[in-house]
Every structure is written in C-alpha cells, then in structure tokens.
Amino acid sequence: MTQHDRAWEAMPDEESHAHWTEFIARHGFRPGVRPEDWPALDEPVPSVTYDLTPLFEAVEPESTAVLDRLERLVLAALTEAFPVGERLAVLDWQHTGHWFRPQVASDAPWPVPAFPNGDYHLFLTEDMTDGLLGHPWERTLCVFGPRLTATLVPRLSWLPVTRSRQPGGPGRAQPSDSADGR
C-alpha cells in the first residue's frame, strides 16, 4: 500500500450520499448556479468565505500551479488542525466521495482538489463542525469551524474575503465592509 493509498480511500456511494444528506440537513446546503441561490449554505459561526475569482481569472483553473499552491496551504492547515488518525469526509458533488487522512498525505495529485473545478467540493470532519466548501459557480471557498478557521484563514490572507461570520457578529453572513475584505 502506497502513502497515497493510506491518505485517500474511496467511500461507498451509500456512505457518500448519507454524508451529503446529513450536510444538507445540518448546514442548509442548497446547490444552485444562479447568484440569487447563493450562498449555497447557511454559513456557520465561525466561517470565512473567500472569493476565488482571481484564481479563475489569473490562470486556467486546472493549472497545476493554482491547485498545488491551494492544496499545499489546505494540507498544512488540515495537518495542524486535526490530530493523526482523524479522517475527513471529502465529497465531490455527483461523484465518488473519499475518506482523507491529511497526516499521511503525499505530494500525489488529490482525487478531489480543494479548488472547485466544476463541482462542489466539500472537505468535512466526521462531526460536520469543521470543513471547507468549494463553490464553482459563485467561485468561492467557505472555510468553517473553529479548528479549521484558526489554521487555514491566516494562510489564505492573500485572497479577497466575500463574507465572514465570527462569534459575536451578526446572525447572518454579511459581506465584508472594508476594502481589503476584513
């Protein structure tokens, strides 16, 4: 068994479907391609949603440089946030889901990238409190939960913020007020 095989394990379709169903129920996920349907989930507290438009416009979304940079940052945050042995559900809308163990990940390409390359991509803790949702039509990446926002948000400071929900803030996700997105 290779290191890549230990990090990524295909999830049975029934299990993937059950995770999507639970995520929809718990986080109000609403897939949609029209702006009036966004945001696609009831963004929890804490969460920060980043605008990926600069990445879509700067280079082709399939560019390995874009994917590699984002995945290196996501992997560093995941390995810092979650202990060895904790696995994440990685769901790819209408495709095979996977279990992912970030602590044993290699440099091999990910079967489901963090960058939403045409479908919703969801990296989610088993208790669904922490995760990230890539939205290909809104061109956003929503980082949520206390552990993941603490480790990934500082690493993504180079991306514009679309919305942010923090403890003690308004009850609904609001666009950022400042010019720099904070």
Side-chain angles (χ1 to χ4, degrees):
M1 178 179 279
T2 68
Q3 185 172 349
H4 181 71
D5 295 334
R6 289 192 312 267
W8 292 94
E9 175 188 343
M11 185 183 289
D13 288 341
E14 310 79 46
E15 199 171 357
S16 180
H17 179 74
H19 276 82
W20 275 117
T21 300
E22 179 67 16
F23 181 73
I24 289 166
R26 287 186 61 179
H27 291 284
F29 178 67
R30 305 165 299 282
V33 299
R34 301 174 308 181
E36 57 267 21
D37 297 330
W38 306 334
L41 75 151
D42 298 333
E43 295 166 335
V45 174
S47 66
V48 177
T49 300
Y50 293 94
D51 181 0
L52 297 180
T53 301
L55 300 182
F56 277 94
E57 292 176 351
V59 294
E60 290 295 314
E62 296 299 321
S63 164
T64 58
V66 170
L67 293 177
D68 289 349
R69 180 176 186 194
L70 187 59
E71 285 176 5
R72 276 194 314 273
L73 295 171
V74 169
L75 182 58
L78 295 174
T79 57
E80 183 180 337
F82 307 116
V84 173
E86 185 166 351
R87 65 183 188 170
L88 303 174
V90 179
L91 306 176
D92 185 354
W93 190 251
Q94 304 298 324
H95 297 282
T96 300
H98 291 81
W99 288 109
F100 179 48
R101 291 170 183 83
Q103 301 290 350
V104 296
S106 68
D107 290 335
W110 292 8
V112 180
F115 192 90
N117 63 359
D119 282 310
Y120 294 99
H121 293 173
L122 176 64
F123 287 66
L124 188 65
T125 55
E126 289 191 64
D127 67 1
M128 299 191 182
T129 59
D130 289 84
L132 58 100
L133 175 69
H135 191 308
W137 295 282
E138 188 183 23
R139 294 182 167 186
T140 57
L141 183 69
C142 179
V143 179
F144 62 91
R147 293 185 292 172
L148 198 52
T149 57
T151 61
L152 186 52
V153 167
R155 289 175 166 92
L156 297 181
S157 61
W158 53 279
L159 286 171
V161 172
T162 300
R163 293 176 297 276
S164 179
R165 294 192 65 203
Q166 300 305 318
R172 172 170 151 38
Q174 299 291 326
S176 297
D177 292 328
S178 67
D180 70 354
R182 294 177 196 212

